[in-house]
Amino acid sequence: MDQFDTQLYEVLKKSGFIKQNQLDEAYHSATELARSLSDVLIFRGLITEEVLGQLIADNLKTPYATLKNKIIPDDILALVPEHLARKLRVVPIAVAEKKLALAMEDPTDVEAVETIRRRVGIEVVPYFITKTDLVRALNQYKRNFAKKFESIIVENVKKASH
């Protein structure tokens, strides 16, 4: 059981959102199965990922970003290269008033925030994002790859037909 799960247990215990006996059982199962507490709670239907994300964000005193069914504009994704986004477990989601909204699995990672701030040259505002949403967001980099690949093929077909 990692530190995050221990903190999550305490947050949920304090919130009263899940009955204590259910929380204890899920914590015990997570330990036995070597799974994350959040995975066990979601699998058992005791909490949704969105509610869990909001509780965690509130506890961290950080805004919560949910990206379910949202497409991040290409110009925003381009601010942080895919390799860096995957390495730091972050994804840029918006720019407003010369501030970059940066969705992060760990919004307390000051080093990652500073790395991105230096790269983009504007203030960075960290947001908490769930693991699932982060994976979805990181996969949006791939759609750009597919578009580029398609345009290269179309271009080569045009050249070959002349």
Side-chain angles (χ1 to χ4, degrees), residues 109-119 124:
D109 185 346
V110 179
E111 201 172 304
V113 170
E114 183 58 22
T115 298
I116 300 302
R117 187 196 63 75
R118 282 194 312 269
R119 178 161 195 97
V124 172

Side-chain angles (χ1 to χ4, degrees), residues 68-138:
K68 199 173 203 169
N69 303 321
K70 291 185 184 163
I71 296 180
I72 303 166
D74 293 344
D75 59 326
I76 301 295
L77 280 178
L79 294 171
V80 178
E82 181 180 4
H83 70 88
L84 187 59
R86 288 186 185 282
K87 178 182 173 194
L88 298 176
R89 309 283 298 154
V90 303
V91 68
I93 55 174
V95 175
E97 300 171 15
K98 296 188 180 183
K99 293 180 183 177
L100 173 66
L102 186 68
M104 309 175 66
E105 203 170 44
D106 179 6
T108 64
D109 185 346
V110 179
E111 201 172 304
V113 170
E114 183 58 22
T115 298
I116 300 302
R117 187 196 63 75
R118 282 194 312 269
R119 178 161 195 97
V120 297
I122 58 175
E123 185 181 340
V124 172
V125 180
Y127 281 69
F128 175 75
I129 189 171
T130 62
K131 240 179 250 185
T132 304
D133 265 356
L134 179 66
V135 169
R136 275 190 207 115
L138 289 171

